Amino acid sequence: MLSKDDIRIGQMLVDSGTVTPEQLAAGLKEQEKSGDFICATLVKMGFASEEKIFAVLSAQLSIPYVRLKDKDIDPALIQKVPAKFASHYKIMPIESGGNTLIVAMSDPLDVRTLDDISLFLEVEVKSVLASENEIKDAIRKYYGVGAETLDRIVSNKSYQRQDGGEAENIQDLETMAQDASIVKLVNQVMSEAIKGRATDIHLEPFQDELRTRFRIDGALYTVHMPETIKYFHPAIVSRIKIMAHLNIAERRLPQDGRLKVKVGSDELDLRVSILPNAFGEAVHIRILNPRSFLEMEMLGMQPDDLKIVEEVVKKPHGIIFVTGPTGSGKSTTLYASLGRINSPEVKIITVEDPIEYQMRGVNQMQVNPKIGFTFASGLRHILRHDPDIIMVGEVRDFETAEISIRASLTGHLVFSTLHTNDAAGAVTRLLDMGIESFLVSSSLECLIAQRLVRLICPHCRIPVSEDTKKIIMEQMKGLQADIQQARFFEGKGCESCRFTGYSGRTGIYEILRVTESVRKLILERASSQQIKKRAVFEGMRTLRADGLQKVLHGITTITEVMRVTQMEELA
């Protein structure tokens, strides 16, 4: 049912020209279904910005409009208003003086809320205007994720605090883990991580705290959580174990599991790892977002490199290695390559550890060393199923390498990964494993080295200073490009990028196509440096050069390229 206040505020916005009568009518109709404040509804429907709406209301009602993201709030003030109270009423205390408390709220005509706050806190309460989104962000920032849920748990006298860090028995753990408040708290942490584009969640117990961190764009960030969360560590771990179908009674050995969560229309896979440490069980959750499964055009390859890779992945046989350290995006490149050639006309079988993304029409197997199912044994069985294309998650030993290479020589296209610093280093690694040089030479088609660099935040992107420009120009000496008139950028840092200056990531690549001259060097067991020199002579762009090209195009910064590459000159 529509309130008189909603209609009154809506009419103010129409009179000021902020929204049209038709937009207001549509907003009121939607608001009747959702129950949200009319201003929040109009913003969600895209009829007007928060800033414009609240500027009008501020002038019409003579109530100050405050941007909470620009304010620093005294932590002592936060202690005066319980988290569950701030969350329930959607308010944020911002100032206090004498017997007066000033709170930010999004509904300026909600007198009942002001009366409730005044009665509860026994102070005179005055309101200022702030957007609902900024109030929610401020509650998370100053109270911590899930603060109101923890407030309710702590205030529930029937819920025993676990100061010792362990429940007395398994029945207690099961009861705690199924508690509605614990379920809600775990869901809130996961939801916050997914909304923040995190790829990993870390819950780490220490002597006096339970530290929560998210990995976003490759960097770890500590998440502000209320101190009281440390008392519920056993219950939180047990809840996650139940969700991942793990043994909650086992607290001495590492455990691994998986679970699925639905966020909007997306169903995400979460990989869970439990690791006992000195102060309890640490939890790592890897978030596998299907949106991370990219088309090849979205990987960040330069057009000429993309053309080479597209040609190579369509070959009928041979082996393609993607190299780089853990977390450099190798799996994403492999899946994108398979996605390009996946069709009903070819049979693709993979053996992985673990299966990160499920691909329609692809036979995927996960290794299990506990029962003797390794990459090598999986490969032997794969070859009996008449595949056209094989993907091996990683080549770690001589046996896996030899079977993969021999499979590529008998009419199969094979994809795999190696942990080497650059593309040419993959040749040396295979030879060091004991593979004969003639096998390596005749089977290799392409070697791809890659790293991930962070993208400059589009919201705070600014030109670099003259001093920084001189440093960049010095680093770019020898790059075959016109850099004299180039403009270079960096991120100033804003709330959107957590004041890092970066938002999102892309790949930088080193694509070494195995030509006849390179094959000859491999047969002669030439060093990786010699192979790299020859590849560069034939047109290969090194990781360093590819990164500098992206700096030149204003995509990333010189600092970021230096961070992920060795930046050495060819000898």
Side-chain angles (χ1 to χ4, degrees):
M1 184 177 177
L2 297 175
S3 71
K4 291 180 180 179
D5 288 343
D6 285 321
I7 297 171
R8 179 185 167 192
I9 288 174
Q11 193 57 51
M12 286 181 189
L13 297 173
V14 171
D15 294 342
S16 66
T18 307
V19 296
T20 65
E22 293 77 17
Q23 288 174 331
L24 175 61
L28 289 171
K29 188 175 181 181
E30 178 63 28
Q31 188 261 354
E32 201 169 6
K33 297 178 191 172
S34 66
D36 292 336
F37 179 43
I38 184 60
C39 291
T41 302
L42 292 171
V43 170
K44 285 178 185 175
M45 295 179 76
F47 293 151
S49 66
E50 287 182 335
E51 290 80 2
K52 196 170 182 181
I53 285 177
F54 284 103
V56 169
L57 293 184
S58 176
Q60 292 280 345
L61 300 171
S62 299
I63 300 175
Y65 171 43
V66 174
R67 298 301 303 271
L68 290 180
K69 61 174 66 176
D70 299 329
K71 286 191 73 70
D72 287 324
I73 301 172
D74 185 356
L77 181 60
I78 302 299
Q79 302 297 322
K80 294 184 179 181
V81 181
K84 61 181 178 180
F85 202 75
S87 181
H88 176 73
Y89 288 108
K90 295 179 183 175
I91 61 154
M92 189 68 201
I94 58 170
E95 289 180 32
S96 178
N99 196 43
T100 302
L101 176 69
I102 299 176
V103 299
M105 56 195 300
S106 62
D107 186 349
L109 302 179
D110 188 357
V111 179
R112 184 181 298 176
T113 292
L114 293 176
D115 290 342
D116 287 349
I117 298 168
S118 180
L119 183 65
F120 180 82
L121 299 177
E122 298 179 347
V123 293
E124 182 185 352
V125 180
K126 293 183 178 179
S127 67
V128 295
L129 275 172
S131 79
E132 186 175 335
N133 285 336
E134 287 196 10
I135 290 171
K136 287 178 181 178
D137 289 343
I139 290 172
R140 284 196 295 269
K141 178 179 177 181
Y142 290 100
Y143 287 100
V145 176
E148 78 284 0
T149 306
L150 283 168
D151 255 12
R152 291 192 187 95
I153 299 174
V154 172
S155 62
N156 184 353
K157 294 179 182 178
S158 65
Y159 200 104
Q160 298 297 315
R161 267 182 24 172
Q162 298 296 323
D163 295 55
E166 293 286 351
E168 289 298 320
N169 55 55
I170 302 308
Q171 190 173 354
D172 289 343
L173 276 174
E174 288 182 349
T175 303
M176 288 191 297
Q178 300 291 1
D179 186 288
S181 295
I182 292 294
V183 171
K184 182 180 179 183
L185 177 63
V186 171
N187 289 344
Q188 283 176 321
V189 172
M190 290 182 178
S191 176
E192 188 71 16
I194 292 164
K195 283 193 294 184
R197 299 183 300 105
T199 55
D200 302 83
I201 303 170
H202 296 267
L203 300 173
E204 304 157 310
F206 294 98
Q207 188 167 10
D208 298 317
E209 65 171 327
L210 177 62
R211 184 169 67 177
T212 305
R213 295 191 290 175
F214 295 163
R215 189 178 294 279
I216 302 171
D217 295 334
L220 279 171
Y221 298 92
T222 299
V223 181
H224 177 45
M225 301 287 290
E227 285 188 14
T228 49
I229 193 173
K230 64 186 177 185
Y231 301 121
F232 307 101
H233 169 232
I236 292 168
V237 174
S238 297
R239 173 60 192 163
I240 293 169
K241 283 182 178 180
I242 288 171
M243 293 173 73
H245 307 289
L246 299 177
N247 181 4
I248 68 169
E250 181 53 74
R251 285 170 278 174
R252 299 167 301 170
L253 295 173
Q255 294 188 67
D256 295 310
R258 296 177 82 103
L259 63 104
K260 286 183 182 289
V261 295
K262 194 162 187 177
V263 180
S265 59
D266 290 334
E267 193 174 65
L268 307 183
D269 269 326
L270 273 58
R271 207 166 71 216
V272 178
S273 179
I274 311 289
L275 192 68
N277 72 17
F279 300 102
E281 291 177 289
V283 179
H284 168 244
I285 301 174
R286 168 64 57 87
I287 301 169
L288 302 173
N289 192 330
R291 294 186 185 274
S292 299
F293 180 71
L294 303 176
E295 296 290 334
M296 289 187 71
E297 290 81 3
M298 298 170 64
L299 295 175
M301 292 182 188
Q302 305 279 7
D304 53 341
D305 283 341
L306 180 60
K307 185 179 178 182
I308 291 171
V309 174
E310 285 186 320
E311 288 175 2
V312 171
V313 300
K314 291 177 181 176
K315 281 183 170 287
H317 54 77
I319 189 162
I320 300 164
F321 280 108
V322 183
T323 77
T326 301
S328 59
K330 298 188 299 296
S331 294
T332 301
T333 300
L334 284 177
Y335 281 111
S337 300
L338 289 180
R340 178 56 57 93
I341 55 181
N342 183 18
S343 73
E345 287 75 40
V346 295
K347 180 166 184 174
I348 304 175
I349 306 180
T350 73
V351 53
E352 308 172 53
D353 183 23
I355 297 170
E356 294 195 12
Y357 303 104
Q358 293 180 353
M359 295 187 69
R360 187 179 182 85
V362 175
N363 299 277
Q364 296 175 269
M365 303 188 300
Q366 181 165 319
V367 301
N368 188 347
K370 292 179 182 177
I371 58 172
F373 183 28
T374 62
F375 281 120
S377 63
L379 262 173
R380 281 194 294 269
H381 289 287
I382 282 175
L383 294 172
R384 297 172 192 155
H385 279 253
D386 187 32
D388 297 291
I389 299 161
I390 299 168
M391 187 184 91
V392 184
E394 184 184 341
V395 168
R396 300 172 181 171
D397 52 51
F398 168 78
E399 189 178 9
T400 308
E402 186 181 43
I403 299 172
S404 299
I405 285 174
R406 291 193 183 279
S408 71
L409 293 171
T410 55
H412 303 88
L413 183 62
V414 181
F415 295 85
S416 192
T417 68
L418 280 169
H419 288 283
T420 61
N421 290 328
D422 59 10
V427 175
T428 307
R429 178 64 53 84
L430 291 169
L431 295 175
D432 288 345
M433 284 182 183
I435 306 298
E436 294 291 343
S437 60
F438 74 90
L439 290 175
V440 177
S441 171
S442 54
S443 62
L444 283 182
E445 288 295 336
C446 187
L447 300 166
I448 304 170
Q450 69 178 86
R451 301 289 189 277
L452 293 176
V453 292
R454 292 180 291 178
L455 301 170
I456 298 171
C457 175
H459 302 288
C460 59
R461 183 173 177 261
I462 57 170
V464 301
S465 66
E466 285 301 315
D467 289 341
T468 304
K469 185 174 180 178
K470 288 177 184 176
I471 296 171
I472 296 172
M473 300 279 277
E474 184 66 28
Q475 290 289 344
M476 287 193 167
K477 278 183 179 177
L479 193 67
Q480 293 180 350
D482 180 14
I483 62 174
Q484 297 305 316
Q485 303 302 318
R487 295 184 68 200
F488 304 104
F489 298 89
E490 63 186 355
K492 184 180 178 182
C494 63
E495 189 138 332
S496 295
C497 61
R498 297 173 176 256
F499 300 97
T500 61
Y502 299 100
S503 180
R505 290 190 290 177
T506 191
I508 59 173
Y509 294 88
E510 186 174 280
I511 312 293
L512 195 164
R513 189 161 193 175
V514 183
T515 60
E516 288 307 313
S517 57
V518 172
R519 292 188 199 280
K520 185 178 178 182
L521 286 173
I522 296 172
L523 273 172
E524 295 169 356
R525 302 183 75 91
S527 69
S528 61
Q529 198 67 15
Q530 290 174 299
I531 294 171
K532 186 172 186 176
K533 274 187 178 181
R534 183 64 198 179
V536 170
F537 176 77
E538 293 181 355
M540 182 185 81
R541 188 183 297 108
T542 64
L543 283 168
R544 173 182 186 268
D546 194 42
L548 292 178
Q549 285 283 357
K550 287 179 169 61
V551 174
L552 191 63
H553 295 149
I555 295 172
T556 188
T557 65
I558 192 77
T559 305
E560 187 66 3
V561 174
M562 291 176 70
R563 181 181 70 85
V564 301
T565 64
Q566 294 182 359
M567 301 297 289
E568 78 277 13
E569 293 285 354
L570 280 171

